[in-house]
């Protein structure tokens, strides 16, 4: 009983939040590089404010991040010590194609990831690779308008052909787009979108999403052709929506809010735009730029597994309910659930909601699930040796692993693995802070970029090691 044999325990990161080395070995500039720390970050993320280069008024945390570009051997060795079976990381597109539309890739970029994958295998760690984690080469935004433009499907196809060919035998688990539903909430990060005055934002977002869905289906097809061993997953920012009350209006709102997030995964996992979504578009007067053959292609190339991030459940209110309080959550605010505790950043903590989310995704898609992000962003206070006794993180994670075990053992949910978010401290995607730490490994660097970058295992490091060694039994 418990977790299946071969369950892939590990940790997750994203290139722009940990690699740094933004201009080395021929790497081009990407949207994620020019998103600064501070009050302007959020409007840039959401595409409301255009910001496509560096200026002297801001600090850009992704430029150096935790410099994993130069520390990856040391970092992966530590992951090996914890007993990781898998390590989720993302490719920086602009390392491979600096501008995005070149015909030939940048060998230095390819070499970097090759070395990294080999370092993983040295410790028996299976890489799990996100092809794009919020990143898009700047040139594809300035010249083509980001994912609004169908040409990006071809550029992405070029990228994935190169990756699948070059890393055949080194990588077999792939995710096409990180949190694809973030296009709707954070379109600059999700799809390289910025908006002109008066532009129909919904049309732009749904068009970009259609292109990403096509690109994802192409990647799935090509991955299987190049190596039948390849397993391709979609990835959503997951979590069920609770109705705020049993008022029918709140219940209906929860149903509808969930559909906003599900529609993309419905296409990737079931192969069809759901009727509720098509009806919504009709009501909004939006016509998707669907070309001949698109729908058949989506139908024929669904993913092998469904992956998702889970941080907190969400709460919905009907139009007639205006008595509620809001709290920050994963990128977008959510109604505050009065029954839950919150992290220092206001993200609510709900292990049972994790079990509910696992069940609802499995009921809906009947495909194996992979939890590829989960964790607690917290302020850590190291002692004079850099050691952090992070019992609060252990407590959070133990409750979530227990909830996941219930989903597997008691509910029969089929799962491939679990990678906790930010297994080594890294830059926060939402705020750009270093102070918001998720790791089992402390990195000496602060919000302003000061620090030695020294890595020190926290108390949770040994705790997670024991969880992995016992295949999740010993939390
Ligand atoms: C997810 C992203 O939305 O949440 C990660 O895929 C991100 O990139 C994570 O880091 C946690 O969010 P934050 O804002 O705390 O970094």
């Amino acid at each position: 009983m418990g977790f299946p044999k071969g369950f892939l325990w590990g940790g997750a990161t994203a290139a722009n939040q940990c690699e740094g080395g933004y201009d080395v070995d021929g790497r081009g500039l990407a949207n994620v590089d020019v998103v600064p720390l501070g009050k302007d970050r959020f409007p840039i993320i959401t595409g409301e404010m255009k910001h496509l280069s560096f200026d002297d008024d801001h600090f850009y945390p992704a430029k150096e991040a935790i410099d994993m570009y130069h520390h990856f051997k040391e970092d992966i060795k530590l992951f090996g010590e914890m007993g990781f079976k898998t390590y989720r990381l993302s490719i920086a597109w602009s390392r491979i194609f600096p501008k995005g539309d070149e015909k030939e890739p940048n060998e230095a970029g390819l070499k970097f990831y090759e070395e990294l994958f080999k370092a993983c295998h040295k410790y028996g760690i299976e890489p799990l690779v996100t092809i794009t984690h919020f990143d898009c080469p700047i040139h594809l935004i300035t010249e083509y308008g980001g994912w609004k433009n169908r040409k990006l499907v071809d550029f992405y196809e070029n990228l994935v052909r190169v990756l699948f060919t070059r890393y055949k035998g080194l990588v077999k688990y792939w995710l096409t787009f990180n949190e694809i539903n973030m296009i709707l909430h954070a379109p600059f990060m999700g799809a390289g979108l910025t908006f002109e005055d008066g532009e129909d934002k919904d049309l732009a977002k749904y068009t970009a999403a259609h292109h990403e869905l096509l690109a994802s289906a192409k990647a799935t097809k090509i991955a299987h052709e190049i190596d039948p061993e390849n397993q391709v997953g979609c990835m959503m920012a997951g979590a069920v929506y609770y109705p705020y009350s049993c008022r029918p209006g709140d219940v209906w709102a929860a149903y509808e809010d969930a559909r906003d997030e599900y529609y993309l995964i419905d296409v990737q996992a079931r192969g069809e735009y759901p009727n509720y979504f098509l009806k919504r578009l009709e009501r909004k007067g939006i016509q998707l730029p669907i070309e001949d053959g698109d729908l058949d292609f989506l139908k024929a190339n669904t993913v092998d597994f469904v992956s998702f991030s889970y941080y907190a459940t969400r709460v919905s209110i009907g139009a007639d309910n205006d008595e509620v309080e809001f709290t920050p959550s994963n990128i977008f605010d959510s109604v505050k659930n009065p029954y839950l505790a919150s992290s220092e950043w206001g993200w609510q903590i709900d292990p049972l909601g994790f079990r509910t989310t696992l069940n609802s995704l499995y009921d809906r898609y009947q495909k194996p699930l992979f939890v590829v992000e989960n964790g607690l962003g917290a302020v850590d206070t190291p002692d004079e040796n850099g050691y952090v006794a992070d019992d609060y993180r252990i407590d959070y994670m133990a409750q979530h692993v227990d909830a996941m075990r219930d989903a597997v053992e008691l509910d029969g949910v089929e799962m491939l693995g679990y990678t906790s978010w930010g297994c080594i401290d890294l830059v926060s995607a939402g705020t750009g802070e270093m102070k918001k730490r998720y790791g089992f490994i402390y990195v000496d660097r602060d919000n302003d970029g000061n620090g030695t970058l020294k890595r020190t295992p926290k108390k949770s490091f040994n705790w997670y090691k024991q969880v992995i060694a016992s295949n999740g039994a010993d939390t």
Side-chain angles (χ1 to χ4, degrees), residues 366-411:
Q366 299 284 302
K367 296 214 178 200
L369 302 182
F370 208 140
V371 174
V372 295
E373 286 185 34
N374 171 237
L376 177 71
V379 175
D380 288 337
T381 312
D383 68 13
E384 62 283 6
N385 301 315
Y387 178 76
V388 178
D390 53 345
D391 293 281
Y392 39 90
R393 183 168 292 109
I394 293 173
D395 186 45
Y396 173 101
M397 299 211 52
Q399 290 185 52
H400 284 76
V401 171
D402 290 348
M404 185 168 68
R405 191 186 319 99
D406 286 346
V408 171
E409 198 170 278
L410 304 178
D411 309 325

Side-chain angles (χ1 to χ4, degrees), residues 17 133-134 178-179 311 330 347 373 421 428-430 436 438:
Q17 293 173 253
H133 191 123
F134 295 155
N178 181 62
E179 295 186 334
Y311 294 94
N330 194 1
W347 294 26
E373 286 185 34
W421 177 248
S428 157
K436 190 178 188 191
Y438 288 85

